[in-house]
Amino acid sequence: MNHRRYNPLREEWVIVAANRVNRPWQGATEADTKTKAGFTTLATINPLAPGGKRANAMNHRRYNPLREEWVIVAANRVNRPWQGATEADTKTKAGFTTLATINPLAPGGKRANGKTSPHYTSTYVFENDFPSLTDDGNRDEDPSELVSDQLYQSHTIRGTCRVLCYHPDSELSMARMSIEQIEAVIDLWIAQMDELQSKYECVQIFENKGAVVGCSNPHPHGQLWASNFLPTYPAKEYNTQKVPSDFYR
């Protein structure tokens, strides 16, 4: 059972979806991150070694009026020397789309729950096999499900999670698709929004791009989460915009 837990220190609710750890992983895996022997003596390479040269720059804070919070901006961080793990080549193997036994998002691919994806030729939508949100038909939150403990508050959540396949070819990305193919994806987004926005409080369409943000499959696809509650940050931004402010004039 997935649910939300309340963080009293941050005054925000966080989704807990334990079933997500069981989804099949076909994204990139990290290389060996062990430090090379004797690395600390190479001051010309290692800025933390005795005599190593470090970078410096002016950092600052910027105000986010929607969230009413200050965010540190440290542009110099992108210039820091990287000597940690590096990802192996994550490019999709040639012919990956035809290997339906390996790629569950490919046309004809078999997914973890035993279902088979149809031989689609354009876009394709299906219910996520490892959803963070599920729906039993009741849209409203039940107050009786709320744990009354002030330190540990939680209650069930309801909604739906869908996978939006952009194209049957696993070697493509949005940037390499034709205008017509991209228009088909946008039409899909609109259709999904039209279907769900009257049923749920919030509908989010997004894409996790790359293994570093949790993309488990390189096939061109996105995600849709629809929930019976407004998540913490959208709720904060929504409430902020309702308050009279010179910023919005």
Side-chain angles (χ1 to χ4, degrees):
M1 175 65 71
N2 297 330
H3 60 284
R4 290 202 296 167
R5 290 182 183 174
Y6 185 68
N7 185 330
L9 296 179
R10 295 186 175 180
E11 295 186 327
E12 62 184 28
W13 290 90
V14 181
I15 294 177
V16 179
N19 66 313
R20 293 285 294 169
V21 301
N22 297 319
R23 73 190 195 279
W25 182 262
Q26 294 179 324
T29 55
E30 291 188 359
D32 187 4
T33 60
K34 293 182 180 179
T35 305
K36 297 179 180 179
F39 184 66
T40 55
T41 62
L42 303 177
T44 57
I45 298 177
N46 181 8
L48 301 185
K53 186 176 181 180
R54 302 196 302 272
N56 190 22
M58 177 66 72
N59 298 324
H60 61 284
R61 291 201 301 165
R62 292 182 183 175
Y63 184 66
N64 185 332
L66 292 178
R67 296 184 179 178
E68 294 186 321
E69 61 186 26
W70 290 90
V71 181
I72 293 176
V73 178
N76 66 306
R77 293 285 293 168
V78 300
N79 297 320
R80 73 189 192 278
W82 181 258
Q83 293 169 337
T86 56
E87 291 187 359
D89 186 1
T90 59
K91 293 182 179 179
T92 306
K93 296 179 180 179
F96 187 61
T97 54
T98 62
L99 302 178
T101 56
I102 297 177
N103 180 9
L105 300 187
K110 187 174 182 179
R111 306 203 302 272
N113 61 357
K115 294 182 179 180
T116 300
S117 298
H119 291 276
Y120 61 95
T121 58
S122 181
T123 58
Y124 170 56
V125 181
F126 65 90
E127 298 290 332
N128 198 311
D129 299 328
F130 297 88
S132 297
L133 302 162
T134 55
D135 197 344
D136 62 359
N138 183 4
R139 177 184 176 185
D140 299 325
E141 295 179 351
D142 186 351
S144 65
E145 297 173 344
L146 178 65
V147 177
S148 59
D149 187 289
Q150 291 299 312
L151 183 61
Y152 182 84
Q153 299 183 45
S154 70
H155 59 71
T156 58
I157 52 179
R158 298 180 180 88
T160 185
C161 294
R162 297 177 179 179
V163 177
L164 315 178
C165 294
Y166 299 161
H167 195 277
D169 188 350
S170 291
E171 295 186 2
L172 287 182
S173 64
M174 183 76 79
R176 297 176 56 203
M177 292 166 58
S178 68
I179 297 298
E180 292 75 15
Q181 292 168 341
I182 294 175
E183 287 178 343
V185 175
I186 296 174
D187 289 340
L188 174 67
W189 293 341
I190 295 173
Q192 292 293 303
M193 184 68 71
D194 288 343
E195 175 190 346
L196 298 171
Q197 64 181 350
S198 62
K199 183 178 180 181
Y200 295 105
E201 183 74 14
C202 180
V203 180
Q204 302 177 80
I205 298 176
F206 60 95
E207 178 180 354
N208 291 328
K209 186 67 173 178
V212 70
V213 293
C215 181
S216 61
N217 190 309
H219 191 92
H221 71 287
Q223 306 280 340
L224 180 150
W225 286 22
S227 60
N228 65 331
F229 62 91
L230 199 58
T232 299
Y233 285 138
K236 182 180 291 186
E237 294 174 356
Y238 174 73
N239 291 329
T240 300
Q241 293 179 79
K242 292 194 299 182
V243 178
S245 172
D246 293 336
F247 177 79
Y248 303 108
R249 295 176 183 173

